[in-house]
């Protein structure tokens, strides 16, 4: 094993606790008295092409003159957003009404009693067109606690100009990707060019990527009877391969162990990588005016190992209402506005993310305005969620340092998974 790139060790615990409390103190409480419009506080991540979201919110306000929406932006990393919610909702904070949640937190927050039960307020007809695996995460014990507003699926971006130059088709398998990358790297002879970048930092993004390698080799996080399948040969081989990408294969730079989504995008968008794993939002970023990658990048379904199939990780963000909110009725109206056809179409046209409403993709106006690659929709239809359980975050927190140790070359997959598997097993037994 090679001791490699020094990992960025982020001490989230105490720092975020203080940050969260400060944050909550600063936002203050709104007066609940008096007449005039009700102001709802909408906590959300800063989404790409964010100014269009405000336009959509303005439209909601125009249709609902008695309601104002105040946005409060959360930090960019999903792990930090999660910390914020846990700290504040754990303290029964009532100073925000609408939550923007990563799909993986919904069962946890629902189980904790932090989300309003939406079952009586949202009809089957409203839910029916929404992406089924995304929606599945919003139900707990037969009650609905959130709605999906956009969905994510891991995809592979590639330099179409370079693949064309060397006569390659986009790779379907990981060994093919490695072969192409090594071939191109050897001939381009450009020290700034990397083979394959992905999210290798110690955070949730690394779990999403590792799961694509593992499932693409026929393995999984949890196997039969929801027991950890981490020490199965399929899982260990996949992790071995990730490590070798940085090591023996020489295809991924050691700096991948410090990359999140945006840092990987910067590398790819500035022409410094042949392949990149990322989410669909990057597609629109690459096409923006002034982007040097406009017309030079392609998009494919994430690869798999020979004899297996591609399984992109399903991500995305969901909306829910804070159980401590004083304006639940108004907040529910906002959720219903966001999942309706016209808003979801607007999200697809302008926000650059993939909406949950499956029918808007067929809309003639959308098809006319956007040349969405067919592979993007294929990725969406193949995507599978991370384990849908209120304990997912605990599972992920056990896995993250171990996966990080593997890709940093500090531990072998066998050693790392021998640490993670019994902890996850114990967690699932005692729940
Ligand atoms: C994206 C996905 C989300 C995932 C995160 C990991 O934001 O939508 O589900 O957890 O990336 O970084």
């Amino acid at each position: 094993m090679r001791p490699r790139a020094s990992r960025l060790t982020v001490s989230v615990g105490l720092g975020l606790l203080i940050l969260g409390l400060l944050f909550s103190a600063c936002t203050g409480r709104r007066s609940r008295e008096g007449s005039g419009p009700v102001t709802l506080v909408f906590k959300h991540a800063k989404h790409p092409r964010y100014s269009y979201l405000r336009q959509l919110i303005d439209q909601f306000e125009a249709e609902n003159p008695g309601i104002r929406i105040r946005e409060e932006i959360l930090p960019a990393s999903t792990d930090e957003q999660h910390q914020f919610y846990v700290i504040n909702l754990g303290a029964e904070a009532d100073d925000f009404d609408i939550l923007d949640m990563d799909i993986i937190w919904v069962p946890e927050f629902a189980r904790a009693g932090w989300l309003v039960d939406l079952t009586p307020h949202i009809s089957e007809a409203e839910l029916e067109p929404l992406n089924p695996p995304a929606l599945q995460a919003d139900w707990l014990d037969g009650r609905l606690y959130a709605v999906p507003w956009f969905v994510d699926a891991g995809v592979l971006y590639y330099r179409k100009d370079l693949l064309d130059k060397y006569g390659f088709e986009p790779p379907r398998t990981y060994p093919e990707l490695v072969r192409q990358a090594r071939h191109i790297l050897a001939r381009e002879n450009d020290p700034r060019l990397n083979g394959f970048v992905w999210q290798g930092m110690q955070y949730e993004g690394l779990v999403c990527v590792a799961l694509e390698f593992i499932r693409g080799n026929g393995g999984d996080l949890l196997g039969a009877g929801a027991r950890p399948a981490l020490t199965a040969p399929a899982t260990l081989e996949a992790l071995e391969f990730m490590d070798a990408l940085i090591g023996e294969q020489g295809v991924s730079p050691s700096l991948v162990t410090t990359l999140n989504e945006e840092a990987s995008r910067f590398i790819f968008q500035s022409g410094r990588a042949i392949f990149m794993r990322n989410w669909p939002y990057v597609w629109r970023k690459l096409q923006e005016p002034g982007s040097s990658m406009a017309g030079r990048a392609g998009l494919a379904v994430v690869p798999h190992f020979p004899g297996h199939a591609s399984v992109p990780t399903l991500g995305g963000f969901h909306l829910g209402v804070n159980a401590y909110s004083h304006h639940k009725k108004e907040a529910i109206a906002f959720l219903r506005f966001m999942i309706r056809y016209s808003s979801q179409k607007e999200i697809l046209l302008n926000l650059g993310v993939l909406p949950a409403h499956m029918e808007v993709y067929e809309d003639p106006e959308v098809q006319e305005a956007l040349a969405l690659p067919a592979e993007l929709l294929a990725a969406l239809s193949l995507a599978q969620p991370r384990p849908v359980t209120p304990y997912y975050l605990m599972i992920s927190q056990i896995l993250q340092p171990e996966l990080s140790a593997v890709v940093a070359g500090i531990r072998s997959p066998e050693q790392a998974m021998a640490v993670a598997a019994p902890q996850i097993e114990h967690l699932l037994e005692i729940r």
Side-chain angles (χ1 to χ4, degrees):
M1 267 169 300
R2 300 143 286 116
R4 212 167 30 215
S6 67
R7 274 182 298 143
L8 291 182
T9 39
V10 189
S11 157
V12 274
L14 190 61
L16 279 166
L17 181 73
I18 295 165
L19 201 90
L21 292 173
L22 280 176
F23 212 153
S24 150
C26 295
T27 52
R29 282 167 188 257
R30 287 160 300 129
S31 153
R32 279 169 247 144
E33 261 63 68
S35 53
V38 164
T39 299
L40 299 179
V41 175
F42 176 22
K43 287 278 181 197
H44 66 79
K46 183 163 184 182
H47 291 292
R49 298 167 65 90
Y50 155 80
S51 57
Y52 290 102
L53 178 59
R54 186 63 235 182
Q55 286 179 21
L56 203 51
I57 294 172
D58 291 345
Q59 199 181 318
F60 172 81
E61 290 183 346
E63 287 176 27
N64 297 273
I67 311 177
R68 289 276 156 278
I69 304 286
R70 192 168 85 226
E71 296 166 81
E72 288 181 4
I73 313 282
L74 292 169
S77 122
T78 128
D79 304 68
E80 288 172 20
Q81 293 159 27
H82 177 261
Q83 288 276 342
F84 168 83
Y85 284 129
V86 170
I87 292 163
N88 286 283
L89 292 169
E92 305 190 0
D94 61 357
D95 56 2
F96 58 94
D97 305 282
I98 304 154
L99 294 77
D100 173 28
M101 293 172 285
D102 194 332
I103 180 172
I104 51 180
W105 316 328
V106 179
E108 177 192 351
F109 292 4
R111 168 63 47 90
W114 294 339
L115 301 175
V116 169
D117 177 1
L118 303 172
T119 328
H121 308 289
I122 300 190
S123 71
E124 267 184 42
E126 286 169 288
L127 298 176
E128 207 266 329
L130 305 180
N131 182 290
L135 189 58
Q136 190 207 327
D138 295 331
W139 290 93
L140 185 74
D141 301 333
R143 315 299 298 173
L144 180 78
Y145 289 98
V147 285
W149 67 312
F150 77 84
V151 282
D152 259 339
V155 281
L156 180 75
Y157 293 88
Y158 61 90
R159 282 285 298 278
K160 192 172 166 6
D161 53 349
L162 287 177
L163 262 58
D164 286 350
K165 179 171 167 190
Y166 293 97
F168 290 132
E169 290 295 320
R172 289 179 185 279
T173 67
Y174 285 112
E176 223 179 313
L177 179 150
V178 166
R179 198 167 48 80
Q180 294 185 2
R182 290 171 65 104
H183 183 96
I184 298 173
L185 286 174
R187 281 156 188 82
E188 286 293 301
N189 197 21
D190 172 357
R192 289 173 65 254
L193 189 64
N194 296 287
F196 181 26
V197 294
W198 36 277
Q199 295 80 55
M201 187 174 113
Q202 184 180 321
Y203 79 124
E204 182 58 32
L206 174 58
V207 182
C208 296
V209 176
L211 201 49
E212 283 165 1
F213 280 93
I214 294 170
R215 285 175 168 167
N217 197 33
D220 212 333
L221 282 190
L222 302 183
R227 301 194 82 76
L230 298 171
T231 49
T235 306
L236 298 178
E237 272 167 34
L239 297 179
E240 194 68 57
F241 186 88
M242 285 176 83
D243 179 42
L245 282 175
I246 312 172
E248 298 85 271
Q249 313 266 26
V251 157
S252 297
S254 36
L255 104 139
V256 291
T257 59
T258 64
L259 298 182
N260 62 9
E261 286 85 359
E262 277 296 84
S264 338
R265 179 176 74 80
F266 289 138
I267 295 179
F268 186 84
Q269 195 150 6
S270 59
R272 287 184 285 129
I274 306 167
F275 297 107
M276 169 182 63
R277 184 272 176 208
N278 215 318
W279 302 106
Y281 80 92
V282 171
W283 181 249
R284 292 289 286 276
K285 288 267 178 202
L286 296 174
Q287 317 304 326
E288 273 171 3
S291 160
S292 65
M293 278 303 123
R296 291 168 66 194
L299 181 152
V301 171
V302 289
H304 53 83
F305 289 93
H308 296 284
S310 297
V311 185
T313 298
L314 179 75
F317 277 73
H318 294 227
L319 298 176
V321 176
N322 179 357
Y324 306 107
S325 159
H326 300 283
H327 305 294
K328 299 189 178 73
K329 186 165 66 72
E330 292 83 357
I332 292 168
F334 182 75
L335 263 52
R336 296 181 64 211
F337 169 88
M338 275 296 176
I339 56 167
R340 75 183 193 194
Y341 188 95
S342 57
S343 312
Q344 291 272 300
K345 179 174 161 186
E346 210 48 45
I347 287 175
L348 181 54
L349 283 174
N350 293 319
L351 250 72
V353 289
L354 301 181
H357 200 300
M358 301 309 286
E359 287 164 13
V360 300
Y361 296 92
E362 315 281 319
D363 190 292
E365 218 183 307
V366 166
Q367 296 196 335
E368 165 101 32
L370 293 181
L372 279 181
E375 292 80 4
L376 204 53
L377 302 182
L380 207 52
S381 68
L382 296 172
Q384 283 186 19
R386 284 153 277 177
V388 179
T389 147
Y391 310 99
Y392 175 76
L393 256 280
M394 291 190 213
I395 297 177
S396 174
Q397 276 155 10
I398 294 170
L399 272 174
Q400 288 178 22
E402 299 310 321
L403 292 173
S404 176
V406 170
V407 298
I410 292 166
R411 275 192 213 164
S412 70
E414 285 78 5
Q415 289 169 326
M417 294 305 110
V419 175
Q423 290 183 53
I424 294 175
E425 191 146 350
H426 180 62
L427 170 78
L428 296 174
E429 267 162 17
I430 57 163
R431 72 195 155 134

